Amino acid sequence: MIRGGKSFVSSPPAFSNDAKKLLICTGNNVSVFSTSTGLQITELEGHTALVTSVIVVPASTPASKILCYCWTSSLDGTIRYWDVSVPELMKTIDIRFPIFSMVIPGLLPQQAESNEKPPDLFAYVSTKNMKEQEQLPNNLSGQIRLSKKKILSGQIRKCNLTQSRLARGVTLAETQNPELITICSSGKYIGIREKCTIRIWDVPAKDSDDAVLKKIRLHRTKKLSILAFHPTERIIAAGDVTGRILIWRGFGQKTFSISDKSINRGLMKNEDERSGVRGDDDADSCTTWHWHSAEVKVLFFSSDGAYLYSGGKEGVLVVWQLDTEKKKFLPRIGSPLIYFINSPDPSLSSISCADNRVHLLKMPSMKILKSIAGIKLPCSVPEIYKGSCNGFGFDHTAGLVAIRTENYCIQFYSLFDDREISEVQVCERNHQPGDEVTVIVTLVALSLDGSVMSTVETKLPDEGIGGLVSLKFWACGAQSKDFSLSTIIYEPHRDAGVSAIAFHPTRHIAVSSSYGGDFKIWVRNHEIQQKDRMLQNGGWTCHAVGSYKKKPMTAATFSADGSVLAVAAETVITLWDPEKNVLVAVIGECLEPIARLSFVGKSEYLVSASRGSSPQVSVWSMSKLSVCWSYKLHAEAVACSVDDSSFAILALPISSHHMESNETTLQGMEDGMILLFNVGDPVPVVTWFVRKAKGGGLAFLHMTSASLEENISDEKPAPVLLAYINGDHEYVLFDPYGEQAPERSVAHQGSLVGLEETGKFGYASIFGELPEFNLKRNQSPSVAIVPSGKPWETIFSGSSHNLPPLTKLCTAFLESLLEKRTAILE
Amino acid sequence: MAEEDTAIAKTFPVKSKLKTSRKSTSNPESKYWKSFKPQPTQTLISSITSLSFSPTPPHDFAATHSATVTIFSTQTLEPKATISAFTDTATSASFRSDGRLIAAGSHSGIVQVFDVKTRSPLRKLRGHSRPVHLVRYPRVDKLHLFSGGDDAIVKYWDVASQTQISELLGHKDYVRCGDGSPASDDMFVTGSYDHTIRLWDVRVSGSSSVMEVNHGKPVEDVIFLPSGGLIATAGGNSVKIWDVIGGGKLLYSMESHNKTVSSICVGKIGRESEEESHQYRILSVSLDGYMKVFDYAKFKITHSMRFPAPLLSIGFSPDCLARVIGTSNGIIYAGKRKVKENVGSMEDPQKRVLRPSYFRYFHRGQNEKPSEGDYLITKPKKVKLAEHDKLLNKFRHKEALVSALSGKNPENVVAVMEELVARKKLLKCVSNLDTEELGLLLRFLQRHSTMLRYAGLLMGLTKKVIEMRAEDVRASDVLKGHIRNLKRSVEEEIRMQQSLQEIQGIISPLLRIAGRR
């Protein structure tokens, strides 16, 4: 079983001390990526729920830089300590509360004195009060409001890491929701933001269990979204939902300062001088900067404190010079920014984007060195067009999934290797992440051999003008999945939307059905091989048009041998001969329009799925032209195996019907199930309950790649795997007939690459790799010359200083003059 | 690294929809035939009755027109020499195999042989009583020639002694054409207005033809195809190909000309160093002004070309470098193909070793070209963005629209409009336009809203614009004028649509009936 497709951006990543590794929280694991190659090196496995923070222990001496230890916290209520380089779990602290955020102030100052016993290490964790939780089972979101009482479920607590326990009775704050704790890079202050206020605590230098933390609050009229501490001065920056950045200078002058002088200074300042500071907030001044048009999500001070990085929904990283307010931009990142992290190496930092991508930046120039891309998240689609979007395109043999992305691309993601293969720009348009969605890639389909892709994009009209549907066919380049555009068809069905595309299993024929009441069969012209080796790719042309009683055509599919084309005309299924374009038969009558049609393998059965108020999944027999059996099920996805006669359905509960939750409720609601059927039998073979099934996908994958066979060599090699992708694009691959439940997690090591020291230095760093000199070329002439009988020409060629000594040459020379008798020894 | 870089900072300029590309005819063959750039040479006095190339390099060609034979140089396409020792219209010039003599007939019935260099008439072959339209030297033989005239007689001559060796009778009408066999110098074909083509063998005693085929129309031209086994005949609107060895079987009839085919010749696709070099084609010209290239291996027309005048004669140089076509109004369209100067790459002269005492020493290597295996570090290409793209990137939507409108390219305007639709800003832009800019928009709409490619977007937009800006239009006379024009063009379009619909109404029953059959 293979799991993957986790979010890389659920929580901020962390750099290792030598900046060669990037630790990214991916679901229940922490994945370690090499910053030079952008590939995954290893994984830290052990947490049983989402990892929420990872903190790398800074190196105290330059020598220990290559060592890497880290603390992680997770929603499973544990804090763990790891040796990343091995990788090995070294310590587990169970505090039994889900941890949403953790900071460890004591780590940050360098501990020079080693003869003393090091003081206890304390972590501040943002947890959720589980007692409230117990009163209200089933509620995980934390956004609970009882009728009268406000429930403060979020708590900031202190945890003694050295003694592995929570500091008793110390609850710094209670908040409505668990908040993200921000820490100053010197470890002096920690802060959280809660709605319109910021709470800041001063962490004492010698922290102990019962140390009292001084605290202040800063206020703002708008809801705040993020805050950041200046590394050296008492400056705090906060971003709010309107896109403004507030800079408080000299916060906590009164409260935190111990020395009398500063108190006096603070008192001397009268109220008028404290420009922009609200009420009796403890700060010298507050300035507001405004560039962002939407909520600020990223704020980060550079390590010297001279610059402030900010970013948000626009996908533009803004660098503010703190003193002059001058701005520099890194535009067109293409997706909202979530985190910005710098590394111990001043020339490297990383941005995490909302599209599940982590970019590594070369710092002063802000050039993107590498991108670590996870699976793209589902794109938002206006509600009216939801129905016309299909989920995924699967390449069944290569184990690839084609995902429609927000920025008009198709991402090819390898399910076996859990990494991005390529991205195809479907619509050449600049994507502004903040904008309203007006252009959508609605459909993607791959031919059975994966060589042809077809996409449909819809441009939504603006008050009735300018809408456009275009159908595109893409041809695959050699081997790698880089598709090139072969044909564009504008308005393939006039102005009606395309409901489905299906490819003929063996030949270059495709069918597109439309809500406008017709379907078209497209064929590819024969390729013209021209003499000058320019392979002119044949374009796709319309071969036939068909319609049935002007009814909207809602789904289409070819049978396994391609001899029958089934097109759903709203509630009935029409069967056509795709060659002659002749209507063969009309079967069935569903209650609701059919949304999916699929032939089951090579059998004579056809599965149809309809949605709506009275959904239905029916199996039709082609020999009897009648329904065999049907269920009242809302099928989100239907997958049919190619060879045998089984199929799987991803079923959603019908409307408000809830599943009885068993003990797995702790891990979240299971809102869908996968049913595996054998086609002749209405009783499902296997049933699995799954989470986040809405918007999910199913597919049977065929394992053919040899490398994969190796990975599971200990098990029986499974010929068919069932892939399930949930609504958040996390996926799991498992053998549908295997014994193991999908909950069991089996590690896959296939894609991990060893950490190579690929950092280039010296000549190579400037000029790149030298081309490898072809040694063969040097050797082959010498081989050729020996039988020619004139070796002296080669013996003495070359400059004198690199000739061998004369004594050696002489023997060779004389030898060459002697006539050699060819040995005839057989 | 570079790819990553471009992946992030890509900017796409707005693009209009692609045009449907017409089925391109530029396959390599038509490219070849187009490479003969036809240029009209100086007008000669009257129609060009024949064109023939010298078989020896430099392959000059002779054109007969009125009472002269003009010899042109293939290199310059300029007249080189003129032979005007004719008393009547000259016809059918033919070079001897060594290219030193030329024979030509005339309407006076005399066949004359000239020295090409001195232009002096060497021999006069008298015997025909009517105009001679066919004079041919055999392919190799230097001593004999054959001729045919309007007296329906074909004669075989010994040139040196000016005597006629044999008189071949059989045709019943004017003999107008003929060709010597490439296989044997003793055999030739002649075509006549009695619809027949006869194959003669002078070795056969008796003056009857060896073979006879019937073309069905007066034969205007007949040629042997290079193998010697096939002949092609032109008459009426058709070119027919016959198998001579197979007893005169008709292989194919090419009927794609609309008027009488006046002349045919063998063309060759001669490209050096390619496996498909020396493919032969039949070039035919007709009075309809078309030159067609016919591939007789595949029985397919591979290229066709139109000229503005009725074409009478065609010639193709044996070295495949020139093709000349004569018209009835005295213009010769001579096309020459450029060949790459295939100069053998000379050894580079020994380069002097540069020393620091030369100034060039310090400039050495600056003009070095990268060799094949070198790793090239190129400057990142700067994306050139048009004005409207820059403005769109800055979200200055109205300026972008106005900038595109003031440009000339309607595609850009439509592309900008489509992008604005995608940003839901088009109507806002329209409402913000001032009077002058609105005039610009209305003029654009008037010109292009009825064009099929843009109509889908522009008709809707036009309606909206008129709705939204009615007040402003009423206020300004200039805008009223634009609206009037717009109305007129829309009305015109509607009229056209109606008449097209009428035509469709007429045609569709016909098609229905045709489909039923």
Side-chain angles (χ1 to χ4, degrees), chain A residues 140-456:
Chain A
L140 271 178
S141 62
Q143 294 178 339
I144 316 149
R145 265 170 197 255
L146 281 183
S147 53
K148 280 164 195 166
K149 196 179 88 184
K150 234 191 219 173
I151 288 190
L152 299 173
S153 66
Q155 285 183 330
I156 310 287
R157 300 182 135 219
K158 198 165 166 183
C159 175
N160 190 330
L161 295 178
T162 318
Q163 295 174 14
S164 315
R165 61 182 169 81
L166 278 179
R168 289 233 165 265
V170 181
T171 303
L172 291 183
E174 289 200 329
T175 54
Q176 200 171 329
N177 302 324
E179 299 289 349
L180 186 76
I181 311 176
T182 314
I183 185 167
C184 174
S185 66
S186 65
K188 261 195 100 181
Y189 308 106
I190 59 169
I192 57 163
R193 47 129 213 122
E194 187 190 12
K195 288 196 171 170
C196 303
T197 49
I198 297 174
R199 300 196 205 182
I200 303 165
W201 290 271
D202 183 21
V203 180
K206 293 266 182 197
D207 208 352
S208 61
D209 267 6
D210 46 0
V212 180
L213 275 73
K214 293 179 204 164
K215 61 178 177 183
I216 59 163
R217 285 172 186 246
L218 297 172
H219 296 87
R220 164 97 179 109
T221 49
K222 303 274 175 3
K223 210 171 162 188
L224 296 165
S225 54
I226 183 83
L227 75 155
F229 289 97
H230 193 279
T232 51
E233 292 169 52
R234 279 193 181 170
I235 298 177
I236 186 169
D240 69 9
V241 286
T242 60
R244 288 180 178 82
I245 299 168
L246 296 106
I247 313 280
W248 281 282
R249 288 167 200 269
F251 66 88
Q253 208 74 272
K254 280 183 266 179
T255 323
F256 295 162
S257 310
I258 313 145
S259 60
D260 299 72
K261 283 178 208 163
S262 58
I263 292 172
N264 292 342
R265 202 165 52 110
L267 288 173
M268 272 193 289
K269 297 204 172 195
N270 62 35
E271 294 294 306
D272 300 333
E273 254 179 87
R274 305 193 321 149
S275 56
V277 181
R278 299 182 60 82
D280 54 353
D281 283 1
D282 187 5
D284 283 351
S285 66
C286 176
T287 48
T288 307
W289 295 344
H290 196 181
W291 184 88
H292 294 280
S293 59
E295 184 177 1
V296 182
K297 296 291 277 183
V298 172
L299 272 182
F300 196 87
F301 281 99
S302 65
S303 51
D304 59 350
Y307 297 97
L308 175 68
Y309 301 96
S310 72
K313 207 181 174 191
E314 308 88 353
V316 180
L317 184 70
V318 186
V319 186
W320 306 80
Q321 201 171 10
L322 203 61
D323 298 328
T324 60
E325 292 186 31
K326 273 186 184 154
K327 297 183 287 279
K328 239 172 76 182
F329 304 98
L330 174 64
R332 290 196 286 278
I333 297 171
S335 173
L337 309 183
I338 302 182
Y339 308 113
F340 181 92
I341 298 293
N342 68 354
S343 74
D345 179 1
S347 69
L348 198 66
S349 52
S350 84
I351 321 178
S352 305
C353 297
D355 63 351
N356 209 1
R357 223 173 232 277
V358 179
H359 296 294
L360 293 168
L361 290 188
K362 190 179 165 140
M363 217 33 229
S365 57
M366 295 208 289
K367 248 168 82 176
I368 287 181
L369 289 175
K370 281 272 175 300
S371 290
I372 300 166
I375 200 161
K376 285 286 172 78
L377 300 178
C379 51
S380 60
V381 174
E383 204 53 48
I384 336 157
Y385 291 89
K386 271 258 161 70
S388 61
C389 290
N390 77 343
F392 312 94
F394 285 97
D395 187 341
H396 299 271
T397 45
L400 298 182
V401 61
I403 296 164
R404 303 170 290 115
T405 68
E406 193 112 356
N407 55 344
Y408 327 119
C409 288
I410 298 291
Q411 184 194 35
F412 283 91
Y413 198 85
S414 168
L415 295 176
F416 292 146
D417 295 339
D418 193 14
R419 66 190 180 92
E420 184 191 74
I421 302 293
S422 65
E423 218 176 38
V424 179
Q425 185 83 35
V426 172
C427 171
E428 296 206 332
R429 180 161 188 270
N430 299 322
H431 173 67
Q432 260 90 32
D435 279 4
E436 201 179 335
V437 178
T438 52
V439 181
I440 331 162
V441 180
T442 50
L443 295 178
V444 56
L446 284 170
S447 68
L448 203 68
D449 57 349
S451 67
V452 188
M453 178 172 74
S454 171
T455 58
V456 176

Side-chain angles (χ1 to χ4, degrees), chain B residues 163-403:
Chain B
T163 51
Q164 139 189 353
I165 296 170
S166 53
E167 201 175 64
L168 307 166
L169 302 168
H171 283 300
K172 297 184 183 63
D173 205 340
Y174 302 163
V175 177
R176 282 288 164 96
C177 53
D179 194 18
S181 162
S184 158
D185 276 342
D186 299 320
M187 296 177 74
F188 52 89
V189 285
T190 55
S192 150
Y193 274 13
D194 62 0
H195 303 186
T196 61
I197 296 102
R198 283 168 194 269
L199 177 70
W200 310 91
D201 190 343
V202 289
R203 292 166 296 190
V204 177
S205 54
S207 58
S208 66
S209 61
V210 181
M211 204 176 70
E212 179 190 334
V213 291
N214 194 339
H215 184 85
K217 283 278 166 59
V219 181
E220 294 287 348
D221 205 352
V222 56
I223 51 165
F224 266 102
L225 297 179
S227 65
L230 302 179
I231 58 171
T233 61
N237 297 350
S238 60
V239 175
K240 293 185 180 177
I241 298 173
W242 310 82
D243 185 359
V244 183
I245 297 169
K249 197 170 69 178
L250 176 65
L251 294 183
Y252 190 77
S253 172
M254 185 268 276
E255 324 218 340
S256 59
H257 281 290
N258 295 325
K259 282 188 183 170
T260 306
V261 181
S262 50
S263 177
I264 52 179
C265 79
V266 173
K268 197 157 70 166
I269 297 185
R271 265 178 300 182
E272 309 76 29
S273 72
E274 271 187 47
E275 72 271 21
E276 63 156 358
S277 62
H278 306 306
Q279 288 192 0
Y280 292 98
R281 301 282 186 267
I282 296 171
L283 311 183
S284 60
V285 290
S286 146
L287 295 180
D288 60 4
Y290 274 97
M291 194 263 318
K292 302 222 179 214
V293 180
F294 181 71
D295 182 353
Y296 61 85
K298 293 177 187 149
F299 296 129
K300 227 167 91 179
I301 303 267
T302 54
H303 185 66
S304 107
M305 205 172 199
R306 205 193 124 83
F307 290 87
L311 307 178
L312 284 188
S313 49
I314 183 165
F316 192 79
S317 143
D319 61 357
C320 309
L321 291 182
R323 180 200 61 203
V324 290
I325 294 170
T327 64
S328 64
N329 54 14
I331 299 174
I332 295 179
Y333 291 98
K336 227 177 80 184
R337 195 160 68 92
K338 278 204 186 108
V339 273
K340 279 180 213 132
E341 295 296 317
N342 211 354
V343 186
S345 54
M346 302 282 280
E347 286 284 311
D348 283 334
Q350 197 74 44
K351 269 190 183 163
R352 274 190 300 174
V353 180
L354 289 172
R355 289 170 199 290
S357 55
Y358 292 117
F359 178 65
R360 267 172 43 218
Y361 175 84
F362 298 101
H363 282 275
R364 71 195 191 282
Q366 287 191 351
N367 295 327
E368 203 74 21
K369 295 275 185 304
S371 63
E372 207 158 290
D374 285 352
Y375 179 74
L376 281 180
I377 298 167
T378 46
K379 263 189 200 167
K381 265 191 187 165
K382 216 178 161 188
V383 188
K384 269 203 171 170
L385 288 178
E387 186 64 30
H388 56 256
D389 277 320
K390 282 182 195 157
L391 290 167
L392 279 176
N393 281 354
K394 290 177 187 160
F395 303 98
R396 287 161 64 183
H397 296 131
K398 192 194 85 170
E399 280 98 325
L401 180 62
V402 172
S403 148

Side-chain angles (χ1 to χ4, degrees), chain B residues 104-118:
Chain B
S106 93
H107 281 198
S108 58
I110 303 168
V111 177
Q112 297 191 74
V113 179
F114 304 91
D115 188 306
V116 174
K117 273 202 187 121
T118 61

Side-chain angles (χ1 to χ4, degrees), chain A residues 1-6 8 31 33 38-41 43 372-375 397-401 412-422 481 701 703 705-711 721 731 733 747-753:
Chain A
M1 191 178 68
I2 300 170
R3 284 175 178 279
K6 301 291 187 211
F8 288 1
S31 301
F33 286 82
L39 297 174
Q40 191 176 355
I41 303 164
E43 257 181 339
I372 300 166
I375 200 161
T397 45
L400 298 182
V401 61
F412 283 91
Y413 198 85
S414 168
L415 295 176
F416 292 146
D417 295 339
D418 193 14
R419 66 190 180 92
E420 184 191 74
I421 302 293
S422 65
K481 285 285 156 200
L701 300 183
M703 298 226 299
S705 69
S707 62
L708 217 82
E709 304 278 319
E710 272 171 39
N711 292 337
L721 286 179
Y731 65 83
L733 267 61
H748 75 111
Q749 304 290 335
S751 62
L752 304 187
V753 215

